[in-house]
C-alpha cells in the first residue's frame, strides 16, 4: 500500500509517499480501506516536531478516516466486512489502509459522502468530550469559541445551533465572520474589535458560561474576563503559547471559574470508546436528520498532493476542513 511518512520535522515538503506492507488487524481491531482522511491541526504540529507520539503509536500521521472494513481481528464483530465506517484513529490515516480499534468506529451517517464522513471524527470527538459531554455546556447556555472557522470551530458552532446553545466565535476577517453567521453563531473579528469588549456588549456585561480555547497562554486573562461567575475555560490548543504571563488568579478566584483542558491522543482506548458511544447516541441522529449540518469541506486533495494540502492548512485561509481523497 501507499502511505505518507514525515522524513524529518519541518514544512510540508517533508511529507513523502512511500510503499509499505499492508497492516494486519490485531485482537479487537479492524483494517479499513481508506477512501478519505481529514487533516487536522495536530497533524501539522506532528509534522513540525511539536506533537511527539506516545510510545507504541505509529508515526504515520492522520487522525480520522472514512472507508470500508476489509478485515477484522479476533473479537471484532460489531461491524460487518464491507461496512462503510468513519473512525478516530490512533494515527496512520494518511494511507490506503489503516488499522483502527473497533471501538473507535462509527457508521458513515446516512446520506454522507466519504469525504464528509472523514471530516467528522477528530473534531466531533474533541468538541463533544470537552464542551458537551455530561452537559458541561447545555441548552440555554452561551459559549465563546476561538478559531470559529477552523474544523473545531465550525463543528462546535453547528452542534451549538442544533442543541440550542448561544455561540460567539472569533475569526480574523469579515469573510470568516460571515461564515460564522451562516453556521448560526455570532462572529467577532478580533482584528478590528477586542473580543472582551464584544462579549460584554453582546451579553450586557454578564459574560458567557464557557470558553472553548485553542490559543492557550496569550488569551488566558481575557478568557477569564469574559466568563460568568462559575464559568469554565476549556483549553484544547496552544497556538498562542503554553505559558500565561501575569495570569490574574484573583479574577479567576472571584469568578469561581474552572479551568480544564485535554488532548484526544492521550486519552485511553476506553475513554475514546465511551465518546464514540455517546456520539452515536446523541449526535449521529442530529446529523442524519439534518438538524446538524454536514461538516464544511473547504478543499479536497489527492493523497499524492498531501504537501499542498498542508500548505493550505498552514496558510490559515480555510473555512472548515481540508480532506485527502484516497483511491
Amino acid at each position: 500500500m501507499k502511505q505518507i511518512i514525515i522524513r524529518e520535522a519541518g514544512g510540508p515538503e517533508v511529507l513523502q509517499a512511500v510503499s509499505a506492507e499492508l497492516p494486519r488487524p490485531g485482537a479487537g481491531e479492524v483494517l479499513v480501506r481508506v477512501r478519505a482522511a481529514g487533516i487536522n491541526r495536530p497533524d501539522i504540529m506532528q509534522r513540525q516536531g511539536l506533537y511527539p507520539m506516545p510510545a507504541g503509536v505509529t508515526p504515520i500521521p492522520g487522525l480520522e478516516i472514512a472507508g470500508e472494513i476489509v478485515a477484522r481481528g479476533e473479537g471484532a464483530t460489531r461491524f460487518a466486512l464491507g461496512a462503510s465506517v468513519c473512525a478516530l484513529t490512533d494515527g496512520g490515516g494518511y494511507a490506503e489502509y489503516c488499522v483502527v480499534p473497533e471501538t473507535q468506529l462509527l457508521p458513515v451517517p446516512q446520506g454522507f459522502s466519504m469525504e464528509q464522513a472523514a471530516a467528522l471524527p477528530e473534531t466531533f470527538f474533541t468538541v463533544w468530550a470537552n464542551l458537551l459531554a455530561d452537559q458541561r455546556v447545555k441548552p440555554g447556555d452561551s459559549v465563546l469559541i476561538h478559531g470559529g472557522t477552523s474544523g473545531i470551530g465550525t463543528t462546535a458552532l453547528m452542534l451549538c445551533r442544533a442543541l440550542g446553545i448561544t455561540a460567539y466565535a472569533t475569526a480574523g476577517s469579515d469573510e470568516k465572520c460571515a461564515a460564522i453567521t451562516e453556521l448560526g453563531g455570532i462572529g467577532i473579528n478580533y482584528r478590528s474589535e477586542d473580543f472582551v469588549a464584544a462579549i460584554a456588549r453582546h451579553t450586557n456585561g454578564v459574560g458567557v458560561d464557557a470558553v472553548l480555547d485553542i490559543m492557550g497562554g496569550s488569551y488566558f486573562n481575557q478568557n477569564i474576563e469574559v466568563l460568568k461567575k462559575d464559568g469554565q475555560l476549556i483549553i484544547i490548543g496552544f497556538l498562542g503559547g503554553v505559558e500565561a504571563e501575569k495570569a490574574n488568579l484573583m479574577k479567576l478566584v472571584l469568578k469561581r471559574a474552572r479551568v480544564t483542558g485535554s488532548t484526544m491522543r492521550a486519552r485511553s482506548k476506553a475513554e475514546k470508546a465511551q465518546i464514540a458511544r455517546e456520539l452515536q447516541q446523541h449526535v449521529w441522529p442530529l446529523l442524519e436528520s439534518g438538524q446538524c449540518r454536514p461538516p464544511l469541506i473547504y478543499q479536497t486533495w489527492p493523497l499524492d498532493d498531501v504537501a499542498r494540502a498542508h500548505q493550505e492548512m498552514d496558510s490559515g485561509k480555510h473555512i472548515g476542513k481540508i480532506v485527502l481523497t484516497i483511491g
Side-chain angles (χ1 to χ4, degrees), residues 290-304:
Q291 292 173 265
C292 186
R293 287 171 51 172
L296 287 179
I297 307 296
Y298 178 71
Q299 287 178 338
T300 61
W301 294 88
L303 184 63
D304 286 337

Side-chain angles (χ1 to χ4, degrees), residues 1-20 43 46-47 58-62 92-95 303 306-307 310:
M1 70 168 187
K2 183 185 297 181
Q3 66 182 20
I4 302 300
I5 64 167
I6 301 172
R7 296 195 314 268
E8 58 188 358
E13 71 280 356
V14 304
L15 298 169
Q16 179 180 349
V18 299
S19 180
D43 301 341
Q46 181 183 347
R47 189 202 75 215
T58 175
I60 305 305
Y94 290 12
L303 184 63
V306 62
H310 269 233

Side-chain angles (χ1 to χ4, degrees), residues 1 3 34 58-63 65 89-99 265:
M1 70 168 187
Q3 66 182 20
V34 181
T58 175
I60 305 305
L63 295 174
I65 60 171
T89 77
D90 294 333
Y94 290 12
E96 292 178 323
Y97 293 85
C98 182
V99 168
R265 179 167 274 162

